[in-house]
């Protein structure tokens, strides 16, 4: 038995063997209890109508196993002695691990509960809003939970959290000054997602760019311009500048000035204005209320003013093309002649008497 009485790292070999056997027994016990708990909990939750209990059971399994495993390591190491300093370090490490496990549990629960309860709320709005806002809210809450959890874990492990926070405060001021624009863009992204001046797919005008919103991020927003180019705009521009949401207007006013030749009869002028009303009624994507008016006698044309409106559902360019093609076909069919700049020069022959 002398072999078992030999000491290794301050403990007899027999104590090491007992601790190892205890660790193996605890691992087996944990696996058995975990398996039984999993089967029983599944049966119970499957009988209920709500999904909340299923979510809770699914999300707490792994963190609880981690916490119990840390506790098992503590039970095993508690039997051994490594000296005051090492024992204190092990005790602090165990507390740190337990706190991290609890934080992990809270993070998983918060993510699951937010997905379960916030998703129906966001489903009442535009799906693009849900795609952008929900993940950002989840990330922010997760960061807060982890930050608080790590600070508590460090405090329980014996670290001076006050001094750490003071150091972080000084460093945070320096970081904020160095990354002022990045921080401004970050808060700009949050304001966009909360205030919702526009959604994904909307056509907007900002900082001299005109295009459709492709994505809204925490640092920048991407537009696809009318030239089909992708533009990345820092969110700070949306706070400091003026944003025009073209898609939010009820309809977009379009104005055409049509000139007919001077030999057009009054009856043809009326026929032309009636044709414009019919064309507007036929084209999809226009408001059926339009305005036509015989407005002026120009230098070389009789002017007809045509105002129509493109609805948000209508395509901006295709609708204009259909209107213009309809006018061209209908006017040609009715023999209505478009005017263009012309000049008529009258010359008189002078007579000379000899």
């Amino acid at each position: 038995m002398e072999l078992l009485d030999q000491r290794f790292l301050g403990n007899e070999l027999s104590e090491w063997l007992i601790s190892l056997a205890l660790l193996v027994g605890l691992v087996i016990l944990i696996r058995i209890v975990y398996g039984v708990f999993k089967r029983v909990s599944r049966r119970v939750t499957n009988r209920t109508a709500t999904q909340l209990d299923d979510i809770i059971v699914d999300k707490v399994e792994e963190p609880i196993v981690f916490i119990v495993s840390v506790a098992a390591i503590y039970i095993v190491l508690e039997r051994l002695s490594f000296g005051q300093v090492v024992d204190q370090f092990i005790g602090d490490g165990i507390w740190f691990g337990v706190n991290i496990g609890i934080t992990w549990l809270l993070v998983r629960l918060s993510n699951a509960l937010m997905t379960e309860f916030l998703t129906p709320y966001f489903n009442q709005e535009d799906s693009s809003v849900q795609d952008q806002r929900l993940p950002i809210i989840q990330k922010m809450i997760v960061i807060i939970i982890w930050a608080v959890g790590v600070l508590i874990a460090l405090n329980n492990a014996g670290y001076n959290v006050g001094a750490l926070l003071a150091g972080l405060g000084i460093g945070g001021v320096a970081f904020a000054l160095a990354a002022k624009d990045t921080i401004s863009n970050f808060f700009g992204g949050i304001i966009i997602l909360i205030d919702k001046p526009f959604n994904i797919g909307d056509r907007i005008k900002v900082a001299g760019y005109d295009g459709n919103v492709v994505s809204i991020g925490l640092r920048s927003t991407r537009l696809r311009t009318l030239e089909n180019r992708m533009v990345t705009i820092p969110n700070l521009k949306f706070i400091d500048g003026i944003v025009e949401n073209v898609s939010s207007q009820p309809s977009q006013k379009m104005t055409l000035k049509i000139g007919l030749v001077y030999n057009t009869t009054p009856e043809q002028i009326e026929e032309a204005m009636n044709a414009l009303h019919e064309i507007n009624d036929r084209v999809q994507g226009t408001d059926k209320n339009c305005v036509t008016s015989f407005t002026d006698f120009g230098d070389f044309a009789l002017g007809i003013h045509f105002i129509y409106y493109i609805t948000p559902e209508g395509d901006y360019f295709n609708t204009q093309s259909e209107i213009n093609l309809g006018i061209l076909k209908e006017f040609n069919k009715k023999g209505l002649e478009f005017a263009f700049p012309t000049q008529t020069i009258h010359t008189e022959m002078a007579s000379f008497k000899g």
Side-chain angles (χ1 to χ4, degrees), residues 48-337:
T48 60
T50 178
Q51 292 290 323
L52 180 60
D53 49 1
D54 298 84
I55 294 173
I56 293 175
V57 170
D58 180 63
K59 296 302 179 182
V60 302
E61 286 178 354
E62 295 180 15
I64 287 180
V65 169
F66 175 80
I67 294 171
V68 172
S69 299
V70 173
I73 294 174
Y74 173 75
I75 294 173
V76 172
L77 294 179
E78 183 69 13
R79 300 188 72 262
L80 304 174
S81 177
F82 302 96
Q84 184 178 357
V85 176
V86 177
D87 289 345
Q88 181 65 35
F89 179 79
I90 292 174
D92 293 340
I94 293 297
W95 273 113
F96 183 83
V98 170
N99 280 276
I100 291 299
I102 294 174
T103 304
W104 182 24
L105 173 64
L106 294 176
V107 167
R108 288 173 64 90
L109 275 177
S110 65
N111 274 331
L113 294 177
M114 282 188 291
T115 303
E116 177 69 16
F117 293 108
L118 292 184
T119 299
Y121 168 75
F122 284 117
N123 280 337
Q124 299 173 4
E125 304 178 1
D126 194 309
S127 61
S128 62
V129 176
Q130 174 192 347
D131 293 341
Q132 295 292 321
R133 292 173 66 188
L134 184 56
I136 291 176
I137 292 174
Q138 287 179 316
K139 289 178 182 177
M140 292 179 63
I141 293 178
V142 166
I143 291 173
I144 293 172
I145 294 175
W146 272 116
V148 173
V150 170
L151 289 176
I152 293 175
L154 290 173
N155 184 66
N156 290 337
Y159 289 92
N160 189 344
V161 176
L164 177 63
L165 291 176
L168 289 176
I170 298 173
V173 172
F175 175 78
L177 292 174
K180 183 175 76 69
D181 290 341
T182 300
I183 295 173
S184 298
N185 289 327
F186 174 78
F187 283 105
I190 294 175
I191 291 173
I192 290 172
L193 293 170
I194 294 175
D195 193 41
K196 295 185 295 182
F198 51 81
N199 293 318
I200 293 177
D202 286 355
R203 180 186 169 199
I204 64 172
K205 294 181 181 179
V206 60
Y209 294 99
D210 185 352
N212 295 93
V213 180
V214 176
S215 65
I216 304 172
L218 283 178
R219 194 198 70 83
S220 61
T221 296
R222 292 186 177 182
L223 301 184
R224 186 173 296 280
T225 65
L226 301 182
E227 293 82 15
N228 203 31
R229 298 191 183 103
M230 189 69 73
V231 178
T232 301
I233 301 176
N235 288 331
L236 179 61
K237 297 291 185 181
F238 297 96
I239 301 176
D240 293 342
I242 297 175
V243 181
E244 179 183 352
N245 191 333
V246 179
S247 299
S248 65
Q249 60 188 4
S251 57
Q252 187 165 356
K253 178 182 176 181
M254 306 300 298
T255 301
L256 280 179
K257 293 182 178 180
I258 301 172
L260 300 178
V261 295
Y262 257 93
N263 59 1
T264 304
T265 65
E267 291 77 15
Q268 287 178 312
I269 293 290
E270 291 181 354
E271 186 179 12
M273 291 191 294
N274 291 332
L276 292 174
H277 279 281
E278 294 173 0
I279 293 168
N280 182 75
D281 291 339
R282 287 199 304 265
V283 173
Q284 298 292 327
T286 60
D287 191 317
K288 301 315 171 187
N289 296 318
C290 64
V291 177
T292 59
S293 176
F294 178 28
T295 54
D296 62 303
F297 294 89
D299 294 335
F300 53 85
L302 301 174
I304 297 177
H305 215 71
F306 176 40
I307 300 175
Y308 67 95
Y309 301 89
I310 300 177
T311 61
E313 295 79 18
D315 184 272
Y316 179 75
F317 292 105
N318 289 339
T319 303
Q320 290 184 81
S321 296
E322 291 185 39
I323 289 286
N324 292 336
L325 283 173
I327 292 173
L328 183 62
K329 292 177 181 179
E330 197 67 26
F331 279 34
N332 287 340
K333 179 180 176 182
K334 296 181 181 297
L336 300 171
E337 187 177 351

Side-chain angles (χ1 to χ4, degrees), residues 1-7 12-14:
M1 304 297 279
E2 294 181 358
L3 178 63
L4 296 179
D5 293 334
Q6 292 183 1
R7 304 185 69 82
E12 294 181 357
L13 183 59
S14 59

